[in-house]
Amino acid sequence: MGVFTYESEVITAIPPAKMFKACIVDGDTLIPKIVPQAFKTVEYIEGNGEPGSIKKVTFGEGSQFNYMKEKVEALDKDKLVYRYSVIEGDALMNKLEKITYETKLEASPGGGSICKTSSKYYTIGDFEITEEGIKAGKEKALQIFKAVEAYLLTNPDQY
């Protein structure tokens, strides 16, 4: 088993606490509403969002994947940190044991925020992650992030 780590940053004009609440805390209901082509449904199998909870995400129409199950590893609403692992589903392609994501939102100059994400891919056997595979996942995540940002900019009284 190998572990491949990928880190990225995205800057937004939305303040960190507001973006964290919309994307992370309320993301299970907001994202399927504003980006249904990404996530069709999100349902909790165990728990209700706190660490240890497990949720099933059903992908939207046109996705190459059907579903994934995520386990919430950490949720710190004060430090604006969220960590979860994809533990099941066709998104793992039978080549990954799991993928762990950690997202942290920090204040940026001018009142916006910097979203820092670390992704760790735990491979099965000698499978190696390709740059194309990482890039495809990053693009989908960025589309969702930008959709939430656009929603908040056009609905400033939300959150």
Side-chain angles (χ1 to χ4, degrees):
M1 176 179 82
V3 180
F4 297 88
T5 302
Y6 178 79
E7 296 186 358
S8 64
E9 286 187 9
V10 180
I11 297 172
T12 177
I14 308 296
K18 189 173 194 174
M19 195 67 175
F20 189 83
K21 181 157 178 34
C23 257
I24 307 298
V25 177
D26 292 345
D28 296 339
T29 54
L30 182 62
I31 293 169
K33 181 174 131 183
I34 63 172
V35 197
Q37 66 274 23
F39 296 162
K40 185 177 179 183
T41 60
V42 179
E43 60 183 297
Y44 280 91
I45 297 167
E46 294 178 26
N48 60 3
E50 73 281 351
S53 297
I54 296 176
K55 60 185 170 181
K56 179 181 178 185
V57 177
T58 302
F59 291 101
E61 298 291 322
S63 174
Q64 68 188 77
F65 303 119
N66 294 312
Y67 83 98
M68 66 181 165
K69 285 186 183 173
E70 299 177 354
K71 181 177 183 181
V72 178
E73 307 283 355
L75 176 63
D76 189 326
K77 295 177 186 177
D78 296 324
K79 293 183 181 175
L80 306 179
V81 176
Y82 179 58
R83 188 174 63 250
Y84 70 95
S85 295
V86 176
I87 58 169
E88 183 183 309
D90 51 358
L92 295 175
M93 305 172 294
N94 293 319
K95 303 206 182 275
L96 298 167
E97 178 187 323
K98 68 178 180 177
I99 308 168
T100 299
Y101 298 96
E102 181 170 295
T103 301
K104 181 174 184 169
L105 282 131
E106 299 176 350
S108 68
S113 57
I114 302 168
C115 177
K116 297 181 178 184
T117 302
S118 173
S119 310
K120 291 185 180 182
Y121 298 81
Y122 296 81
T123 62
I124 296 171
D126 58 0
F127 177 73
E128 290 191 24
I129 298 292
T130 63
E131 189 68 34
E132 293 96 38
I134 290 173
K135 200 173 189 178
K138 179 187 170 197
E139 287 299 318
K140 286 186 170 91
L142 183 60
Q143 288 173 349
I144 293 169
F145 186 84
K146 290 296 184 182
V148 172
E149 177 186 45
Y151 175 82
L152 293 173
L153 289 170
T154 57
N155 298 280
D157 295 335
Q158 297 291 317
Y159 298 93

